[in-house]
Amino acid sequence: MTANGWIQIGFYLAVLVALTPLLGRYMARVYTGERVVLTPLLAPAERFFYRAIGTRAESGQDWRSYARSVLVFSALSWLLLYLILRTQGIQPLNPQGFGSAPWDVAFNATSSFVSNTNWQFYGGETTMSYFSQMVGLAVQNFLSAAVGMAVLIAVIRGIVSRGSHDLGNFWVDLTRSLLYVLLPISILGALFLVSQGVVQTLDGYLDVSTLAGGRQGIALGPAASQIAIKQLGTNGGGFFNVNSSMPFENPTALSNFVEVVFILLIPAALTATFGKMVGSARQGWAIFVTMLVLLLVGIGVSYAGEQAGSPAQDAAGITASADGAGSTGGNLEGKEQRFGIASSTEWAAITTAASNGSVNSSLDSYTGVGGVVPLINMLTGEVIFGGVGSGLYGMLLFVLLAVFIAGLMVGRTPEYLGKKIEAKEIKLVMIGTLVVPLLVLVLTAVAISTKWGAVSIFNAGPQGFSETLYAYGSQGNNNGSAFAGYTGFVQPNAPGNAGSFGITFADLLGGFAMLIGRFVPLLAALAVAGSLAGKRIAPAGPGTLRTDNGTFVLLLIFVIVVVAALTFFPALLLGPIGQGLTERLF
Amino acid sequence: MRRDIRTAAAALLILTILLGFGYSLALTGISQVLFGDRADGSRVTDEGRVAGSKLIGQDFSDDDSYFQSRPSASGYAGDATAFSNLGPNSRRLARQLSARADAYLKLEGPYNAGLTRAEIPPDAVMTSASGVDPMISVANARIQANRVAAVREMPVAEVDALIDEHTTGRGLGFLGEPGVNVLELNLALDGVEPR
């Protein structure tokens, strides 16, 4: 590890800490309907939109009504995207003449983008037309992110509500997330990315004669517009197959920095939004610090693991270390020179802590130690910042669990922010925190033990198991990154989409995992909020457990780690940890 | 329920038009005006024709008068990118790395007396993520410079100066890693008048 590497990581964290309260307070103003700098410009558009869709902005919804709106909107989004992918062949803006997606790949991809997962069992530039990317996928990048943010705001309203069952209006929260937050930041981000070299064009692909006399195809497309929102909305689905390692998605160290800031920007800032809305910035910071500590450990471990190199390279005698003579050293298999080890591992830890899942290096080639970090970050339930909105409402479920456990220990009725936490809420919390881990374990077991799951595995030995665990861990937790040897599609004749056909088993299993992983915790969080909304707020007394100090942060970290460790430690031993402990080759 | 469906359908329609068409097309237009070259893929020309993109690495393995790009798992395809996906304990990966190290020593060894395996920069034998990494490390370029200079009958100092010229430092001085753009460097080499 180099001093320069740590400077990069430190600088990143400093920027994140500085931006969190700025954007967080802005979003709190947006969601409470206060005037912000964009209001004069956007308020008329907002009013027009509410009239057009037939909603009254003032009318609130209880949790059931809010949840129904979320589900209906997501279901229609699913249908539209599925339709677009299935009829790609007859649509315009398809310069490469790609055919329509097969039903199973389309099922997986649609579930993936609607659930804010962006797991990809397809290669972008070899299967997707510009129309599908722009009108199908990019739109869901926005909408699934906005749905997550809206639900979080509703949950916060439930926590602070003084006896009213009103959680706000879903259509208003959705619209404000899009117009005031996601869209303006995406526009700025996309323009910056183009200035760095990310492509944004409707021209067809290039076919050039290279300098050395060969031929090379070069994919183009309207990429920058999609990449900005893919990072900002913790979506992560690449425009190109190799995601943000492709120079046309991420050409420079600067574009890399801005993209990786975008990944955590909103999930981090929402902790400050939470603090503002509950009337105590410290409550927001306590959650932020919890997330930050877990993230930092991950970055450090992953960086150390990759810089130490892999058993395969040791066996081949490639042992050069990072030195002043301009070499990165370490395990550079599947990493780009311009990012090196530090920027690659930093990204890997951040993209899996957030439920983003875009990558700037190939995680399947990470060492056992380096690769266990992305896995653990996902398997803790995507609450280390997590997805936009979904990360914080997931974390709030863990907060309630921590409060409950602390209450058991001291023998007092647990309270959070003045609200009593009782049996009903804890039952819902258990559903919200345990359904997904259970699902991941069961699906991994089914996939690893049957012949239908085995065909997707690429690497031999423990890595094959890791690929499987990663696939269902990633899809179940709505992350979307992959040990990408694990495949649900085969393209014998790529490029051209001529022979894309699905491994139906993987497509279906993954698709269901993503839908359950998205909507069960979402509904559980809304139900908890609905239940808390009706309770009165008790004033804090001397015996009240404080949830804004270091002791509580430690307790919360402990609860998160224990739940994940109890659930997944045996599985992790079989895969990455096993490999990290041996120099053996498979 | 029916009301919800009507509202959702109207919202989805308007938002698809706004975000699917409006956003992407407006950004395409603005990008073309502000950053036309970059939005179109940073194309480089050689003798008047498009010879590739300066951001997309090319294959030079058939010609040892050129600097060599990093190994690629996808045959340097810019329209079908892929990772190698080989795991850290993969025997296949170890064999590939070993074979590439042998080839590197065979190619560069004669011009770099005493070059050993342990000195080979990892980027020279390990595949990039994108398969079209446009850059190699400075250390890798310095080793290759001796061969390129000898084959082209140029002074090494002149080749080294070209390397410096085509090295991109760290972003803001500390982000990422420095790298040498292989395609631009090779184009510059071709542009040097033979003496």
Side-chain angles (χ1 to χ4, degrees), chain B residues 29-69:
Chain B
I30 298 168
S31 303
Q32 289 291 334
V33 172
L34 292 181
F35 314 104
D37 289 352
R38 279 168 257 186
D40 283 340
S42 306
R43 301 171 194 187
V44 292
T45 51
D46 178 40
E47 294 165 356
R49 65 185 174 81
V50 177
S53 161
K54 73 171 184 182
L55 295 177
I56 302 293
Q58 296 186 355
D59 183 12
F60 294 98
S61 57
D62 288 339
D63 192 335
D64 62 7
S65 72
Y66 283 124
F67 281 87
Q68 302 294 310
S69 300

Side-chain angles (χ1 to χ4, degrees), chain A residues 125 195 225 316 333 335 459, chain B residues 23 38 70 81 84-85 117:
Chain A
E125 75 274 30
S195 82
S225 53
E333 177 73 17
K335 297 186 182 67
N459 274 285
Chain B
Y23 167 75
R38 279 168 257 186
R70 293 186 57 189
T81 56
S84 81
N85 281 324
R117 272 187 177 225

Side-chain angles (χ1 to χ4, degrees), chain A residues 188-269:
Chain A
L188 295 178
L191 287 176
F192 176 78
L193 291 178
V194 178
S195 82
Q196 295 297 300
V198 176
V199 291
Q200 181 73 26
T201 172
L202 299 178
D203 290 354
Y205 296 179
L206 299 177
D207 179 22
V208 301
S209 342
T210 61
L211 199 54
R215 299 209 65 83
Q216 185 182 42
I218 298 179
L220 298 172
S225 53
Q226 188 168 332
I227 290 156
I229 182 60
K230 115 177 176 193
Q231 307 299 16
L232 190 64
T234 58
N235 295 283
F239 194 90
F240 301 101
N241 188 36
V242 291
N243 213 297
S244 284
S245 69
M246 171 68 168
F248 279 168
E249 280 204 19
N250 190 4
T252 64
L254 268 185
S255 68
N256 189 72
F257 182 74
V258 169
E259 288 186 32
V260 83
V261 167
F262 267 34
I263 290 178
L264 281 190
L265 184 60
I266 293 181

Side-chain angles (χ1 to χ4, degrees), chain A residues 75-413:
Chain A
L76 288 189
S77 296
W78 196 99
L79 285 175
L80 177 66
L81 182 55
Y82 186 78
L83 196 70
I84 288 175
L85 297 182
R86 292 286 283 148
T87 56
Q88 174 173 274
I90 57 169
Q91 291 154 8
L93 293 173
N94 186 0
Q96 305 314 114
F98 294 136
S100 303
W103 70 275
D104 44 7
V105 178
F107 171 80
N108 188 280
T110 303
S111 307
S112 172
F113 277 74
V114 172
S115 63
N116 198 254
T117 309
N118 297 32
W119 174 273
Q120 294 169 297
F121 268 148
Y122 64 86
E125 75 274 30
T126 52
T127 51
M128 289 290 173
S129 72
Y130 295 169
F131 186 89
S132 293
Q133 298 261 28
M134 276 168 44
V135 182
L137 302 176
V139 170
Q140 277 312 313
N141 273 273
F142 276 105
L143 299 186
S144 63
V147 166
M149 293 163 75
V151 169
L152 169 69
I153 299 303
V155 169
I156 297 176
R157 289 199 191 105
I159 292 173
V160 297
S161 156
R162 291 171 182 275
S164 150
H165 287 276
D166 179 1
L167 297 187
N169 181 316
F170 169 69
W171 306 106
V172 172
D173 294 335
L174 178 82
T175 309
R176 290 190 177 150
S177 303
L178 291 168
L179 291 185
Y180 287 86
V181 184
L182 296 172
L183 193 55
I185 305 179
S186 294
I187 291 172
L188 295 178
L191 287 176
F192 176 78
L193 291 178
V194 178
S195 82
Q196 295 297 300
V198 176
V199 291
Q200 181 73 26
T201 172
L202 299 178
D203 290 354
Y205 296 179
L206 299 177
D207 179 22
V208 301
S209 342
T210 61
L211 199 54
R215 299 209 65 83
Q216 185 182 42
I218 298 179
L220 298 172
S225 53
Q226 188 168 332
I227 290 156
I229 182 60
K230 115 177 176 193
Q231 307 299 16
L232 190 64
T234 58
N235 295 283
F239 194 90
F240 301 101
N241 188 36
V242 291
N243 213 297
S244 284
S245 69
M246 171 68 168
F248 279 168
E249 280 204 19
N250 190 4
T252 64
L254 268 185
S255 68
N256 189 72
F257 182 74
V258 169
E259 288 186 32
V260 83
V261 167
F262 267 34
I263 290 178
L264 281 190
L265 184 60
I266 293 181
L270 282 170
T271 61
T273 307
F274 171 77
K276 183 94 173 34
M277 289 179 76
V278 302
S280 161
R282 278 180 65 100
Q283 298 287 351
W285 283 116
I287 292 178
F288 179 89
V289 169
T290 304
M291 295 170 165
L292 192 69
V293 169
L294 290 166
L295 176 72
L296 260 177
V297 172
I299 293 177
V301 171
S302 186
Y303 186 16
E306 291 313 289
Q307 193 69 63
S310 68
Q313 79 185 95
D314 291 344
I318 310 301
T319 53
S321 61
D323 57 26
S327 159
T328 60
N331 176 18
L332 212 61
E333 177 73 17
K335 297 186 182 67
E336 296 283 287
Q337 171 63 33
R338 63 192 177 285
F339 308 140
I341 307 287
S343 287
S344 297
T345 49
E346 180 197 36
W347 181 302
I350 287 169
T351 195
T352 47
S355 84
N356 186 287
S358 66
V359 293
N360 70 352
S361 55
S362 165
L363 301 184
D364 213 345
S365 296
Y366 270 44
T367 63
V369 176
V372 79
V373 168
L375 253 172
I376 291 177
N377 280 350
M378 297 186 310
L379 297 178
T380 45
E382 286 301 356
V383 295
I384 311 172
F385 295 104
V388 289
S390 59
L392 188 49
Y393 68 65
M395 181 58 113
L396 287 172
L397 296 181
F398 273 105
V399 167
L400 296 184
L401 189 57
V403 167
F404 173 70
I405 289 171
L408 287 185
M409 289 193 286
V410 298
R412 260 182 69 97
T413 310

